[in-house]
Amino acid sequence: MPLPMYRGESESHMNARALAALPDPEPDMPPADDGANRIRNADPAAIMPALRALGQRAEREREQAAREQTAHRVPAVVRSGRLASTTFAMMHPIGCADLPAEHIACGYCGTPTTSGVTSKHNVTGRIVTYADGMTREEPAGGTADFGTCDACRERHDLAGALIDAHPAALRAIGSRSIAVHRLAGALDALAVLGVETPREMTTEALGDLIRILAPLGIGARWSARFSPIIAADADMKQAAAKPWQHVRLVPLRDLRKAYGQYLAHRQPPRMIPCPTGGCMLCGVAAVFARRVDEPWTAASLKASVVRGRSDASGHLCPTCSEARREAGHYALDAAYLEAVDPTHALRRKQPEPPRFDDGLTAWVTTGRAPSAEPFAWTDLDRMRKLMVTSGW
C-alpha cells in the first residue's frame, strides 16, 4: 500500500511519520543511517499495518475537513412559500448579527424592528456555495418578508412630501408611486453615507438627486440581499448590527463617488475654454457649463461646410454642435441664425429660414483670434434689421 502524503508535506516528513509508527529494531539489526534505510530493512509484515493505519487516518482527516467546510455553506431553502433556512449558519457576515426574538429585520437599513411585516419581496433564485468553493444560482420561490423601522418610515414619508411639493418633478416621472420609490432610494443613499436628509430642495436638485443616487440607494437596502436573488451569505435569522452596516465596501465606494458627482452638479456653472482655441463655426472661446459636463464636441468639417479652401478639424460649442446635428451641410447658416435670433422671435415671421451664402464663412477660415461672443467679426445688428424688413 503506498504511503499517503499530506498536503504541503515533504518526503522527509512522510518518512519520519512512517518511521515513528514502526516497532523498535531488534538488537541484531544493523544500525540504520537514515529513516529511508530503516524502512527498507524493516519486516514487510510489520510496516504494512502502520502504513494502513496512516492511510485510514489521512482519509478520516479529509472527511472531517470536508464536513467542516460544508457546515459553513448551508444552502438557503424556501419552505411553505417563505424563506426558511440560512446560509453561512455558523458565521456572521461583516456587519450582521443574530435577529432578536419577536423581531423582524427592516427591509431598508437592516436593523431589528417590531413593526411587523410591512413589505413582501418575491424570490426567484438563490446563490448556493458548495464545499469546493464554487457558487451557482439555483431557482427558488416564495417571498422574503421585512418590516420598516421608525427612522426609515420617517425618511420615506419625507420622500412623499417632497414629491408632492415639486409637481414638475412628478410630471417628469409620471407616476407618484414610482417617483416616491426613486426619491426614497436616493434618500436611503444619503442615509448610508451619513448625510443629513434635506428637508427642502429645488426641483432641479431633486431631479439630480434621483437620477444620480436612486439606483445605488435601492441596491444598498437590506432587502436587496434576498430579492430577487438570495445572496450566498443572506440569512433571514440575521439583521444588521447597526443601520446600513451590512453595505459592503464596493457599493459604499460607488455611493461616495456618486454623491461627489451630485455635489459637483449642484455647483454653479463656470467658463470652460475650448480645447482648440475657439469654436470652428462661431469662434467663441469659452462657454458656461457645469463642472462635470463636457460641452465641447470634437468634429471634422468639410470645406464646403466651413466655406473655406480645405477641411477643418477642431471643436464645436453646444449651440453649433446642435446646429450641425439639425442642419447638416447648412450648419454654419443655422448657427449664425441662432446668434442673430436666439429667441426665434424674428424667424417666426418668415416663411423660410434665410441662407447666408454670400460672404459668411466659419471662424476657422478667418484666421482671427477667438472672441467672447459668437460671430463677433460680423454685424449681427444689421442682420437683425434685415430680418425685420425681410431684406436679407
Side-chain angles (χ1 to χ4, degrees):
M1 177 180 178
L3 186 66
M5 179 179 292
Y6 294 150
R7 180 180 297 177
E9 185 181 40
S10 63
E11 184 179 358
S12 59
H13 286 90
M14 179 186 65
N15 290 337
R17 287 191 294 108
L19 182 63
L22 293 178
D24 295 333
E26 298 296 331
D28 56 350
M29 180 180 293
D33 54 349
D34 55 19
N37 288 336
R38 184 177 178 184
I39 292 175
R40 284 194 297 268
N41 297 330
D43 184 6
I47 196 173
M48 288 305 297
L51 293 178
R52 190 178 298 107
L54 286 175
Q56 294 174 353
R57 176 184 172 185
E59 185 65 25
R60 288 195 300 269
E61 291 178 355
R62 284 195 296 269
E63 293 177 355
Q64 179 65 21
R67 285 194 299 269
E68 292 178 355
Q69 188 175 10
T70 305
H72 292 277
R73 295 289 193 273
V74 182
V77 297
V78 175
R79 297 196 186 101
S80 301
R82 297 182 60 186
L83 187 63
S85 185
T86 64
T87 58
F88 278 86
M90 298 181 63
M91 56 193 307
H92 295 117
I94 297 176
C96 298
D98 290 330
L99 186 66
E102 306 299 330
H103 285 69
I104 189 172
C106 174
Y108 305 101
C109 67
T111 54
T113 179
T114 57
S115 66
V117 177
T118 59
S119 61
K120 295 179 178 290
H121 300 262
N122 293 327
V123 176
T124 61
R126 63 170 180 261
I127 303 298
V128 178
T129 305
Y130 294 91
D132 56 1
M134 299 297 292
T135 60
R136 187 177 64 184
E137 179 181 339
E138 294 186 353
T143 61
D145 302 340
F146 302 101
T148 304
C149 67
D150 295 338
C152 292
R153 182 181 296 106
E154 179 182 358
R155 186 169 57 252
H156 292 184
D157 291 342
L158 176 61
L162 288 174
I163 289 296
D164 294 337
H166 295 277
L170 176 58
R171 287 193 299 269
I173 297 176
S175 169
R176 184 183 185 277
S177 61
I178 296 177
V180 172
H181 171 71
R182 292 179 181 177
L183 181 56
L187 298 183
D188 287 345
L190 297 181
V192 174
L193 299 175
V195 178
E196 183 178 358
T197 303
R199 300 290 173 175
E200 296 180 358
M201 60 177 61
T202 64
T203 301
E204 184 181 3
L206 188 69
D208 287 340
L209 189 69
I210 293 176
R211 179 174 54 85
I212 298 175
L213 291 177
L216 296 176
I218 294 173
R221 292 172 175 173
W222 177 262
S223 60
R225 294 163 48 84
F226 300 86
S227 176
I229 304 297
I230 305 171
D233 60 349
D235 191 341
M236 289 296 292
K237 296 181 180 179
Q238 295 177 358
K242 293 182 179 179
W244 305 106
Q245 201 170 35
H246 64 277
V247 181
R248 303 297 176 86
L249 292 179
V250 173
L252 189 60
R253 179 199 62 193
D254 296 340
L255 281 168
R256 289 171 178 167
K257 182 179 179 180
Y259 183 61
Q261 294 176 353
Y262 168 74
L263 294 179
H265 271 281
R266 303 312 311 146
Q267 295 297 319
R270 61 176 180 174
M271 295 295 292
I272 299 181
C274 177
T276 51
C279 175
M280 288 192 295
L281 295 183
C282 69
V284 70
V287 296
F288 270 106
R290 294 189 293 188
R291 298 174 182 270
V292 295
D293 292 340
E294 297 180 359
W296 295 98
T297 304
S300 297
L301 302 179
K302 297 290 186 180
S304 58
V305 176
V306 299
R307 295 171 190 169
R309 295 183 177 180
S310 60
D311 298 345
S313 297
H315 288 79
L316 297 175
C317 68
T319 302
C320 294
S321 179
E322 181 68 14
R324 182 196 180 199
R325 187 183 69 83
E326 293 184 353
H329 184 78
Y330 294 98
L332 180 60
D333 291 340
Y336 188 64
L337 185 59
E338 194 67 25
V340 173
D341 184 24
T343 62
H344 293 218
L346 299 177
R347 71 184 84 176
R348 290 194 189 102
K349 302 178 181 180
Q350 308 301 330
E352 295 181 1
R355 297 291 184 223
F356 309 101
D357 295 331
D358 298 332
L360 180 62
T361 59
W363 170 83
V364 72
T365 66
T366 63
R368 296 174 180 268
S371 57
E373 299 295 333
F375 297 99
W377 71 95
T378 65
D379 192 349
L380 296 178
D381 291 335
R382 175 178 172 273
M383 184 54 59
R384 294 188 183 100
K385 295 178 181 179
L386 291 176
M387 290 189 68
V388 173
T389 60
S390 300
W392 68 70

